[in-house]
Amino acid sequence: MTTTSGPSARSGPADPPPRATDPRDAPAGPTPSAEEASGLCDQARDLVANGHLDRAADLYRRAAEADAPAAVRARALLGLAVTEDGRGDTGAARDAARRAMEAGDPRRAPRAAHHLALSLEQGGEGAEAERIWRRLLDLGAGPGYTALAHHGLARAAEERGDASAAEAHWEAALSPPVGSAPPDRLHAETLVEAARDLTGRLLRRGSPGAALSAADRGLSVADDPELRLLRAAAHLEHAIADLGAVVDPDAGVAEAGPVTAGAAVELLAGLLALRGDTDGSARVWRAGLEGHGEETAEEARARLRRGFATGEDSWWDAYLEEAVATASAPALAAELFAALTRMHALASLPALEGESRPAVLREALVQAVRTPDELVWGPGLHADLRRRLAEATGGDDVLAEDWPDRL
């Protein structure tokens, strides 16, 4: 019997067709060399830029396992930490960051410590984050990372209520570089960020003077729009304090004349409304109109009515005054336009449909007239019609006592 080439003559089903495989499922192969590891890092970086995080993480892991110099291993591990964070695997990200810190590369160890400390802080692990911030400080990686560490330690001290430690770390975080050289990019960015953080905290504590100083320190490094806004807020708080002293009879300030007091009422009420304290704004207006004498009240009312239509008093002036005093004029305008739109629709629809039946037309007009009944100014509108009719008929009240309920 001769042998021939070809498939085996064994019985049974044929071999299944080969399956398509994902490259990630293939064996990793031999440990990459140092040069190959650097190339893997380059590929992984490009993959991250294009959103392929799973494949990038695989390449960074292979590069981290290479027998390569500390700089290459640290680069791979730091890249892996950032990529794992992007994939949502916080534990793997932190592990990679810790290994990057220990890799012995002085350039990337501070970056890994910064990444790890922020991750721990954001995860609510304040004590461990503080330990890493101190580790970053001990690395002595330059003024930028030193400022970063002090900013982190200031936040940690704030969190645990240690005001003295927080103050020391804030001071260190906001310290300019030694000598006349300008700060490098990282140091400048950190100083500005710390200044924004501290200024906001001080404003929330009611310390506008200290907030102003912190904002100025940040602005001495960079003209940052958010810091300018915070500095303006600090000036706003100073202005509120000064104006409050003018209008408060118990503040110990010499009594102001009517013009000065009226101006202070207007400015203070406006600034409080600007700050979002509409209740405080209304209290200031009411005190100016009722609690500082007739001359001051007259001056305050003239300022409150600034922009009102000139001429004789109208029935709606009281509602406008209240809207200005309570910073609710936009709400009143919206309410008025909504009522006017409904009244217009109720009165117009019968005409558009060519309605001629008296009962239907009357019902449409009744509904239009009753539209503002439930609104705060509705009774005033009805009372104005009663007054006008009385004047037109020589003083006689021609409307029923319970009008418009009897419409």
Side-chain angles (χ1 to χ4, degrees):
M1 183 176 183
T2 60
T3 59
T4 60
S5 62
S8 169
R10 67 182 174 83
S11 61
D15 292 335
R19 295 170 57 192
T21 60
D22 191 310
R24 290 171 290 183
D25 298 330
T31 302
S33 66
E35 183 176 347
E36 290 171 332
S38 182
L40 289 174
C41 288
D42 291 338
Q43 294 177 50
R45 178 195 59 204
D46 294 339
L47 286 167
V48 169
N50 289 286
H52 303 297
L53 300 185
D54 292 347
R55 181 61 176 149
D58 289 340
L59 295 184
Y60 275 132
R61 287 191 202 98
R62 289 191 61 202
E65 294 167 0
D67 183 14
V72 176
R73 291 190 66 250
R75 179 190 176 193
L77 288 166
L78 181 57
L80 179 60
V82 175
T83 304
E84 294 288 19
D85 255 340
R87 294 176 67 234
D89 192 339
T90 302
R94 292 177 182 177
D95 178 67
R98 285 190 172 91
R99 291 168 61 196
M101 287 172 57
E102 304 300 333
D105 177 36
R107 178 184 172 192
R108 290 184 173 84
R111 293 171 60 188
H114 180 216
H115 183 91
L116 177 58
L118 283 178
S119 175
L120 291 164
E121 186 179 284
Q122 292 163 2
E125 300 181 43
E128 180 64 11
E130 185 170 3
R131 189 182 72 80
I132 301 300
W133 288 125
R134 293 191 183 281
R135 175 74 180 279
L136 175 57
L137 191 61
D138 292 340
L139 288 174
Y145 283 107
T146 296
L148 272 174
H150 279 297
H151 187 193
L153 290 168
R155 295 195 300 271
E158 293 270 5
E159 185 68 22
R160 66 171 189 271
D162 189 342
S164 178
E167 183 178 359
H169 287 300
W170 283 122
E171 180 61 32
L174 293 174
S175 294
V178 178
S180 57
D184 60 28
R185 179 179 176 181
L186 175 61
H187 192 186
E189 290 176 351
T190 303
L191 200 154
V192 170
E193 182 181 355
R196 287 196 297 255
D197 189 0
L198 179 56
T199 303
R201 291 171 187 265
L202 290 168
L203 282 172
R204 289 190 291 273
R205 291 174 195 159
S207 301
L212 190 60
S213 176
D216 282 338
R217 293 178 73 170
L219 287 168
S220 69
V221 174
D223 193 354
D224 180 71
E226 188 175 344
L227 268 178
R228 280 190 172 272
L229 178 63
L230 288 167
R231 186 171 68 174
H235 282 301
L236 174 67
E237 294 301 320
H238 273 300
I240 287 174
D242 283 339
L243 292 166
V246 175
V247 302
D248 184 0
D250 299 323
V253 177
E255 183 177 356
V259 174
T260 299
V265 165
E266 179 187 24
L267 289 171
L268 179 57
L271 292 180
L272 288 172
L274 184 64
R275 193 175 68 177
D277 185 3
T278 54
D279 289 342
S281 175
R283 286 194 297 271
V284 169
W285 276 120
R286 291 192 180 102
L289 296 172
E290 301 168 3
H292 297 292
E294 292 184 6
E295 291 183 339
T296 297
E298 183 178 348
E299 182 69 26
R301 176 160 280 105
R303 291 173 176 276
L304 178 65
R305 295 166 62 94
R306 192 194 303 273
F308 285 21
T310 57
E312 66 178 54
D313 292 343
S314 303
W315 69 267
W316 56 79
D317 282 354
Y319 301 103
L320 287 180
E321 286 185 9
E322 180 68 12
V324 173
T326 58
S328 60
L332 175 61
E335 188 175 82
L336 286 165
F337 280 119
L340 178 61
T341 299
R342 176 167 172 74
M343 295 170 73
H344 184 267
L346 289 169
S348 300
L349 190 58
L352 292 173
E353 293 178 342
E355 182 61 63
S356 60
R357 290 170 294 177
V360 175
L361 292 171
R362 183 181 188 283
E363 180 59 26
L365 288 175
V366 167
Q367 290 185 37
V369 169
R370 299 299 300 270
T371 294
D373 279 3
E374 302 302 320
L375 301 175
V376 68
W377 48 269
L381 177 61
H382 296 323
D384 179 67
L385 177 61
R386 182 185 295 275
R387 179 183 63 81
R388 290 177 182 275
L389 286 174
E391 290 177 355
T393 57
D396 295 330
D397 188 353
V398 298
L399 292 176
E401 185 176 345
D402 56 353
W403 186 91
D405 292 337
R406 292 185 61 186
L407 272 175

